[in-house]
mmCIF file of all heavy atoms in Angstrom:
data_model
loop_
_atom_site.group_PDB
_atom_site.id
_atom_site.type_symbol
_atom_site.label_atom_id
_atom_site.label_comp_id
_atom_site.label_asym_id
_atom_site.label_seq_id
_atom_site.Cartn_x
_atom_site.Cartn_y
_atom_site.Cartn_z
ATOM 1 N N ARG R 685 91.591 34.408 148.301
ATOM 2 C CA ARG R 685 92.617 34.916 147.405
ATOM 3 C C ARG R 685 92.489 34.380 145.987
ATOM 4 O O ARG R 685 93.318 34.698 145.136
ATOM 5 C CB ARG R 685 93.998 34.548 147.941
ATOM 6 C CG ARG R 685 94.311 35.080 149.332
ATOM 7 C CD ARG R 685 94.576 36.560 149.314
ATOM 8 N NE ARG R 685 95.696 36.918 148.470
ATOM 9 C CZ ARG R 685 96.106 38.170 148.257
ATOM 10 N NH1 ARG R 685 95.441 39.178 148.830
ATOM 11 N NH2 ARG R 685 97.143 38.423 147.475
ATOM 12 N N VAL R 686 91.436 33.583 145.712
ATOM 13 C CA VAL R 686 91.261 32.986 144.393
ATOM 14 C C VAL R 686 89.819 33.200 143.953
ATOM 15 O O VAL R 686 88.879 33.000 144.732
ATOM 16 C CB VAL R 686 91.606 31.480 144.404
ATOM 17 C CG1 VAL R 686 91.351 30.863 143.036
ATOM 18 C CG2 VAL R 686 93.051 31.261 144.826
ATOM 19 N N LEU R 687 89.681 33.628 142.679
ATOM 20 C CA LEU R 687 88.365 33.741 142.057
ATOM 21 C C LEU R 687 88.200 32.611 141.048
ATOM 22 O O LEU R 687 89.097 32.369 140.239
ATOM 23 C CB LEU R 687 88.200 35.082 141.340
ATOM 24 C CG LEU R 687 88.092 36.349 142.190
ATOM 25 C CD1 LEU R 687 87.855 37.554 141.283
ATOM 26 C CD2 LEU R 687 86.975 36.224 143.200
ATOM 27 N N VAL R 688 87.036 31.933 141.100
ATOM 28 C CA VAL R 688 86.737 30.846 140.171
ATOM 29 C C VAL R 688 85.434 31.181 139.472
ATOM 30 O O VAL R 688 84.393 31.354 140.110
ATOM 31 C CB VAL R 688 86.631 29.488 140.891
ATOM 32 C CG1 VAL R 688 86.288 28.389 139.887
ATOM 33 C CG2 VAL R 688 87.928 29.166 141.607
ATOM 34 N N LYS R 689 85.510 31.298 138.152
ATOM 35 C CA LYS R 689 84.329 31.587 137.333
ATOM 36 C C LYS R 689 83.897 30.309 136.632
ATOM 37 O O LYS R 689 84.683 29.669 135.935
ATOM 38 C CB LYS R 689 84.664 32.664 136.285
ATOM 39 C CG LYS R 689 83.562 32.918 135.264
ATOM 40 C CD LYS R 689 82.388 33.653 135.889
ATOM 41 C CE LYS R 689 81.394 34.071 134.799
ATOM 42 N NZ LYS R 689 80.753 32.925 134.129
ATOM 43 N N GLY R 690 82.624 29.917 136.858
ATOM 44 C CA GLY R 690 82.084 28.710 136.249
ATOM 45 C C GLY R 690 81.020 29.024 135.218
ATOM 46 O O GLY R 690 81.002 30.089 134.600
ATOM 47 N N GLU R 691 80.088 28.081 135.049
ATOM 48 C CA GLU R 691 79.030 28.209 134.059
ATOM 49 C C GLU R 691 77.802 28.939 134.596
ATOM 50 O O GLU R 691 76.914 29.277 133.818
ATOM 51 C CB GLU R 691 78.623 26.819 133.556
ATOM 52 C CG GLU R 691 79.766 26.045 132.909
ATOM 53 C CD GLU R 691 79.358 24.644 132.508
ATOM 54 O OE1 GLU R 691 78.146 24.340 132.615
ATOM 55 O OE2 GLU R 691 80.222 23.855 132.096
ATOM 56 N N LEU R 692 77.708 29.143 135.891
ATOM 57 C CA LEU R 692 76.553 29.821 136.463
ATOM 58 C C LEU R 692 76.574 31.304 136.122
ATOM 59 O O LEU R 692 77.631 31.942 136.134
ATOM 60 C CB LEU R 692 76.522 29.642 137.985
ATOM 61 C CG LEU R 692 76.243 28.230 138.511
ATOM 62 C CD1 LEU R 692 76.217 28.253 140.024
ATOM 63 C CD2 LEU R 692 74.931 27.697 137.968
ATOM 64 N N GLU R 693 75.400 31.835 135.845
ATOM 65 C CA GLU R 693 75.257 33.251 135.533
ATOM 66 C C GLU R 693 74.189 33.871 136.430
ATOM 67 O O GLU R 693 73.341 33.172 136.997
ATOM 68 C CB GLU R 693 74.889 33.452 134.060
ATOM 69 C CG GLU R 693 75.926 32.952 133.067
ATOM 70 C CD GLU R 693 77.221 33.748 133.120
ATOM 71 O OE1 GLU R 693 77.211 34.867 133.693
ATOM 72 O OE2 GLU R 693 78.247 33.264 132.597
ATOM 73 N N LEU R 694 74.243 35.179 136.536
ATOM 74 C CA LEU R 694 73.266 35.898 137.338
ATOM 75 C C LEU R 694 71.907 35.871 136.643
ATOM 76 O O LEU R 694 71.821 36.125 135.438
ATOM 77 C CB LEU R 694 73.718 37.345 137.548
ATOM 78 C CG LEU R 694 72.816 38.229 138.413
ATOM 79 C CD1 LEU R 694 72.848 37.770 139.860
ATOM 80 C CD2 LEU R 694 73.230 39.693 138.305
ATOM 81 N N PRO R 695 70.831 35.559 137.364
ATOM 82 C CA PRO R 695 69.496 35.589 136.737
ATOM 83 C C PRO R 695 69.155 36.991 136.242
ATOM 84 O O PRO R 695 69.691 37.996 136.705
ATOM 85 C CB PRO R 695 68.559 35.129 137.861
ATOM 86 C CG PRO R 695 69.433 34.419 138.833
ATOM 87 C CD PRO R 695 70.771 35.076 138.750
ATOM 88 N N ILE R 696 68.243 37.032 135.301
ATOM 89 C CA ILE R 696 67.852 38.314 134.724
ATOM 90 C C ILE R 696 67.245 39.233 135.772
ATOM 91 O O ILE R 696 67.340 40.461 135.677
ATOM 92 C CB ILE R 696 66.861 38.073 133.561
ATOM 93 C CG1 ILE R 696 66.573 39.372 132.810
ATOM 94 C CG2 ILE R 696 65.581 37.445 134.070
ATOM 95 C CD1 ILE R 696 67.750 39.967 132.127
ATOM 96 N N TRP R 697 66.629 38.645 136.831
ATOM 97 C CA TRP R 697 66.028 39.475 137.881
ATOM 98 C C TRP R 697 67.078 40.281 138.627
ATOM 99 O O TRP R 697 66.772 41.345 139.160
ATOM 100 C CB TRP R 697 65.246 38.601 138.854
ATOM 101 C CG TRP R 697 64.222 37.731 138.201
ATOM 102 C CD1 TRP R 697 64.238 36.368 138.087
ATOM 103 C CD2 TRP R 697 63.024 38.166 137.550
ATOM 104 N NE1 TRP R 697 63.137 35.927 137.416
ATOM 105 C CE2 TRP R 697 62.360 37.012 137.069
ATOM 106 C CE3 TRP R 697 62.444 39.416 137.329
ATOM 107 C CZ2 TRP R 697 61.152 37.073 136.390
ATOM 108 C CZ3 TRP R 697 61.239 39.469 136.640
ATOM 109 C CH2 TRP R 697 60.606 38.316 136.189
ATOM 110 N N GLY R 698 68.307 39.773 138.693
ATOM 111 C CA GLY R 698 69.355 40.516 139.380
ATOM 112 C C GLY R 698 69.875 41.699 138.602
ATOM 113 O O GLY R 698 70.586 42.538 139.172
ATOM 114 N N MET R 699 69.541 41.811 137.331
ATOM 115 C CA MET R 699 69.984 42.939 136.520
ATOM 116 C C MET R 699 68.952 44.052 136.424
ATOM 117 O O MET R 699 69.257 45.114 135.876
ATOM 118 C CB MET R 699 70.321 42.444 135.104
ATOM 119 C CG MET R 699 71.324 41.311 135.063
ATOM 120 S SD MET R 699 71.634 40.762 133.361
ATOM 121 C CE MET R 699 72.671 39.341 133.649
#
Side-chain angles (χ1 to χ4, degrees):
R685 301 286 300 178
V686 177
L687 290 183
V688 179
K689 173 72 172 65
E691 300 176 7
L692 292 181
E693 298 293 344
L694 182 68
I696 188 64
W697 306 111
M699 305 179 186

